[in-house]
Amino acid sequence: MYIAVKGGERAIDASRRLLSEERRGDPEVRELEVGQVEQQLGLLVDRVMSEASLYDPQLAALALKQAQGDVVEAVFLLRAYRTTLPRLGYALPVDTQRMAVTRRVSAIFKDLPGGQVLGATYDYTQRLLDFGLLRPATPPTASALPSSPQADPAALPDALSTLVQEGLVETCAPSDGDPEPSDITRTPPSYPLSRAGRLQMLARGDEGWVLGLAYSTQRGYANTHPFAGEIRLGPVPVELVPDELGCAIEIGEVELTECQMVNQFTGNADKPPHFTRGYGLCFGRSERKAMAMSLVDRVMRADEFGEDRTSPAQDQEFVLPHSDSVEASGFVQHLKLPHYVTFESELQLVRQLQSEHGRPEGAAGKNGAGEQPQ
């Protein structure tokens, strides 16, 4: 039973006012605008969109402003808003081969077919604080900016396609017995989940949790030694087929990060040795999350390849439910709500047990003073 304190309405109103003042901060400092969050904290906005399963940079930025930068709270806000939206239709599966690539790298080719596109990345920074950012910078002129790195999709084929044709990498096809993908936001997950369901939950999973599990697979908690086959990033067109038209029309685009890891498989009686895939796909510029997701996806496919499941990252009932930061946050934080009825019952039980086993040495007496040794 959870009971708010008596006369709590005024206290709650006061708490809300304090929260609003705390969010605003020093009035002498210019208020943070949603547009600034969207444009200048883009990686954070992308993470919130990915874990909330809603592609809307402006609303994700609004959620971050409202939550004072608390990612889990912002994801909660955006997911709550998502539940109020009507479902107008179902888009066709996006084709990442039509991506207008702004970044594309591969670790398995010295000369990647189509070439590598470095794009914007922290990979080549020195990881030293730039104290120059403490002062407002003068916006660069248009002529000083590098040209857009977006590459022609037709010139950037799937990096793994040649290896697939040689039979060295598994084909990109649904696994045997893989059913029609369900929507985990509408149908509660039931384990064991299909690969499509697992990928949905990993995409919504907390980045820190997924990253830690991926790291564990590299430290020996699963038999895996992956290679980054291809990582690509950029906007992808979204299409749907209206009933009135009967043909696909483009309704917009979403920015995605896709990662395909390849992992050696020693083969079995039915399949020769070859490389298998792990897959990751996230909203926005989420390279680290997509890579971690693809590592966890691969180790969860152990049953498909007759591999032993020996590590926590291979246990989907452990990995997937605990990856949801909103559910985890709610269950942990509910402990700060009133529990005095339950506690009182346990307190009485402990008192009864103590009386049955004798008062422990040094316990306080009735007057609060410790008992003196004889």
Side-chain angles (χ1 to χ4, degrees):
M1 179 186 297
Y2 302 128
I3 303 174
V5 291
K6 249 181 130 178
E9 186 175 349
R10 289 173 55 194
I12 291 172
D13 284 342
S15 175
R16 288 173 174 166
R17 288 197 301 272
L18 286 172
L19 176 63
S20 179
E21 293 175 8
E22 188 175 279
R23 179 191 303 124
R24 175 61 183 88
D26 186 350
E28 298 296 322
V29 178
R30 181 184 171 191
E31 183 176 359
L32 183 66
E33 297 177 3
V34 171
Q36 291 175 301
V37 177
E38 181 182 349
Q39 293 298 319
Q40 300 174 33
L41 298 178
L43 297 180
L44 191 57
V45 169
D46 292 343
R47 177 175 175 179
V48 170
M49 290 194 301
S50 209
E51 295 182 19
S53 301
L54 180 66
Y55 190 88
D56 193 317
Q58 185 183 47
L59 292 184
L62 172 62
L64 278 167
K65 178 181 178 180
Q66 183 175 334
Q68 296 180 267
D70 184 330
V71 173
V72 175
E73 187 71 19
V75 171
F76 195 161
L77 293 170
L78 204 56
R79 282 193 191 180
Y81 174 74
R82 183 183 186 275
T83 62
T84 67
L85 300 176
R87 179 153 300 201
L88 303 177
Y90 291 85
L92 297 176
V94 294
D95 181 3
T96 54
Q97 292 305 302
R98 296 173 58 192
M99 178 183 289
V101 174
T102 57
R103 174 168 165 77
R104 180 195 190 225
V105 294
S106 173
I108 61 174
F109 295 98
K110 183 180 180 183
D111 296 310
L112 177 64
Q116 310 233 21
V117 181
L118 296 185
T121 176
Y122 284 98
D123 288 352
Y124 307 100
T125 62
Q126 296 180 319
R127 264 79 176 195
L128 298 175
L129 279 176
D130 182 357
F131 293 100
L133 295 177
L134 290 172
R135 300 179 298 277
T138 304
T141 60
S143 59
L145 293 172
S147 59
S148 174
Q150 287 192 355
D152 180 8
L156 300 177
D158 184 350
L160 304 179
S161 59
T162 56
L163 298 178
V164 172
Q165 293 171 3
E166 296 181 48
L168 296 174
V169 173
E170 69 170 329
T171 57
C172 190
S175 304
D176 293 338
D178 200 11
E180 184 74 15
S182 62
D183 184 345
I184 62 166
T185 65
R186 296 202 160 198
T187 305
S190 175
Y191 301 98
L193 274 177
S194 67
R195 190 182 180 200
R198 299 196 302 262
L199 289 172
Q200 288 181 60
M201 292 198 72
L202 287 174
R204 284 164 61 94
D206 179 78
E207 180 175 321
W209 171 261
V210 179
L211 180 65
L213 288 166
Y215 182 39
S216 75
T217 69
Q218 294 180 282
R219 295 190 66 247
Y221 289 93
N223 184 23
T224 178
H225 187 271
F227 300 90
E230 183 178 23
I231 302 166
R232 56 169 58 201
L233 187 161
V236 180
V238 177
E239 296 178 327
L240 61 75
V241 180
D243 294 336
E244 299 82 357
L245 298 179
C247 61
I249 60 171
E250 185 174 324
I251 58 173
E253 61 183 23
V254 294
E255 188 175 36
L256 297 174
T257 301
E258 181 186 51
C259 175
Q260 295 191 73
M261 290 282 179
V262 291
N263 195 85
Q264 187 179 2
F265 171 56
T266 57
N268 53 33
D270 301 322
K271 298 178 180 178
H274 63 283
F275 289 92
T276 56
R277 303 186 194 226
Y279 189 75
L281 185 72
C282 302
F283 283 147
R285 294 158 292 170
S286 306
E287 187 171 301
R288 181 173 52 220
K289 170 73 177 293
M291 293 179 70
M293 182 179 165
S294 63
L295 290 179
V296 178
D297 170 52
R298 173 58 188 86
V299 297
M300 280 191 176
R301 300 180 64 195
D303 290 345
E304 289 183 44
F305 304 110
E307 298 169 341
D308 294 331
R309 285 190 285 135
T310 58
S311 72
Q314 292 171 303
D315 184 346
Q316 60 173 277
E317 290 195 57
F318 174 73
V319 172
L320 300 177
H322 299 141
S323 69
D324 194 302
S325 62
V326 173
E327 292 187 8
S329 173
F331 205 67
V332 169
Q333 292 205 79
H334 98 279
L335 294 174
K336 64 190 174 188
L337 296 174
H339 280 70
Y340 49 82
V341 174
T342 308
F343 181 71
E344 178 63 26
S345 67
E346 294 197 12
L347 196 60
Q348 292 181 12
L349 176 61
V350 171
R351 282 175 175 149
Q352 180 183 349
L353 292 174
Q354 283 193 353
S355 66
E356 292 175 358
H357 291 79
R359 188 179 298 279
E361 185 177 353
K366 291 182 179 179
N367 296 328
E371 294 182 352
Q372 298 299 316
Q374 300 296 319

